[in-house]
Structures are given as C-alpha cells and as structure tokens.
Amino acid sequence: MPFVSMPDEAEIFYKDWGTGQPVVFSHGWPLTADVWDKQANMVASKGFRAIAHDRRGHGRSSQTWDGNTMDTYADDLARVIEHLDLHEIILVGHSTGGGEITRYVGRHGTSRVAKMVLVGAVPPLMLQTASNPKGTPRSAFDDIRAGIEADRSQFYLDLSLPFYGGNREGSTLSDGARYAFWLMSMQVGIKAAYDCVKEFSETDFTEDLAKIDVPTFVAVGDDDQIVPIEAAGLRTAELVPGAKLKVYPGGSHGLVGEYEKAFNADLLDFIRT
C-alpha cells in the first residue's frame, strides 16, 4: 500500500489511479479517500490522474495523538504532492477537505495548482460569531463532540441521514450508502475525529481564500443540512475573484443521487475546460 512519511513519522495513505494531469481529492469529515472512488474512477477513465489520500487519523493513515490541526492537514497534503512531484494540479475538496485545500493554498501557494473545486466546503467560517451571524451555533458542534464520546457508532449512523438528505421526503438514499458512510467513519480514530470538529468549525479561512488566484468552481447544494451555504459556499464565491458558483436545487451536503450525477458532469466539464 502506498504511503508518504511525514516529519513526525506519521504515514499518510494515498490512492494513485491513471495518468495525465493530476486531480487531487480531499475528503470530508469523518470519511476517507474511499468516498471519492466514483469521481476518481471517472476522471482516471477520462485521461486524468486521480489521487486521493486519507487525512491523518482517518482510514489507513496513522492515528496520531497530536497534529490533528488544519495547518498540519495542509502540510501533509503538501508533502504528498511534493513526494509525487505533482504540477498543474486540479485540487478538489469536499467539506473539511475544502478547508484543507484552501489552507494548503494559504500556506503553500498555487505554484503547483491549476484549478480548484470546492464542494459543500467549510470556508470561510462555519462557526456562528458576531461577525458571522449566519454560521452554525457552537452548541451544534458541542453536540457532535458529545455524540463521538458517548456512542460514536450510533452517532455516525444517525448522521448519515442529514448528511445525505435521507431525512427528506422523497429521498432515495440506500441503506448501503448509509453503511458505507458508517464504515468509513468508524475507521477514524476517536481522538482525530474529536479534534477535527474544532478544526472544521472554528478555522477562519478568509485570508486563505484571498490567496486563491486560479480558476475556482464552487458547488453547493441548497438543502445542505451540515454546512450552511449562506455562511460557506455563497460567501466563498464572493471572496474568491472570478469564482464560478453553482447551486444545486435540493442538493444535500454529501454527494448522492441526482445531485452527485449533476456534480460529476460539471466536475468533468470544469477540469476539461
């Protein structure tokens, strides 16, 4: 299995499929690189090189006690990119992964980056504050932390419903999709899962977004129950000069069903153009 060693000796697992211009995928919380398999298979089948890693603490990567911070996530990604000597990269990040690739640009610039895709991403700031009134109240994140500590297995299974809009009338969310979400979530170390809640909810990416100077596609579902689009995607599209914004009617937080099909087509069109 392919791994890249980090300065603190953590091992980061990655998948590397196909050949051509690299498309690097960063996954959301509390998932793994496997959540991108459909998209990675699609782009690799269309002449691109698909790369997806497990964030530290997640999946097959090391479950470190320390280092579960957005800065370290971004630096881990940079080391994977440097190890593979990637250039003209198309960075694709969902949810927390969108924060990771945004912080990567904030810390490492865009010299290796050609384009970016932010889908259901957490920037610029999820947490509700006096200056971010449309954000999510801290109590919601405290509830997530409590769920992780009390019975994370049941918590993750329950979370799969709002994550994919399975609690909406007319949803066609399958049990298999929910169990896949649960399985990926249970591969996350409990310490990493707990620490990451603060990172995706309280990190302010405003200054990082200002450093994005490559074509950027911002995709959001208008029924995202996890990351409020008013404080996240819509605001990101305002802060990134020239960003292309698409709002998907009825789209959930996670990519599923018709929303996923529409996004996949748009993703392929964006990386080809």
Side-chain angles (χ1 to χ4, degrees), residues 45-110:
S45 298
K46 298 297 183 180
F48 294 86
R49 181 180 178 185
I51 297 161
H53 68 291
D54 288 345
R55 186 170 301 115
R56 68 167 55 218
H58 298 60
R60 290 138 292 199
S61 293
S62 297
Q63 294 189 10
T64 57
W65 183 257
D66 298 313
N68 303 307
T69 69
M70 196 59 66
D71 285 353
T72 306
Y73 300 155
D75 292 348
D76 289 348
L77 174 59
R79 197 166 180 90
V80 171
I81 288 171
E82 291 161 7
H83 174 79
L84 297 175
D85 194 25
L86 304 179
H87 297 272
E88 292 297 307
I89 303 165
I90 300 162
L91 289 174
V92 184
H94 172 253
S95 194
T96 300
E100 179 178 279
I101 66 172
T102 301
R103 180 52 55 90
Y104 166 83
V105 168
R107 290 174 66 83
H108 300 277
T110 57

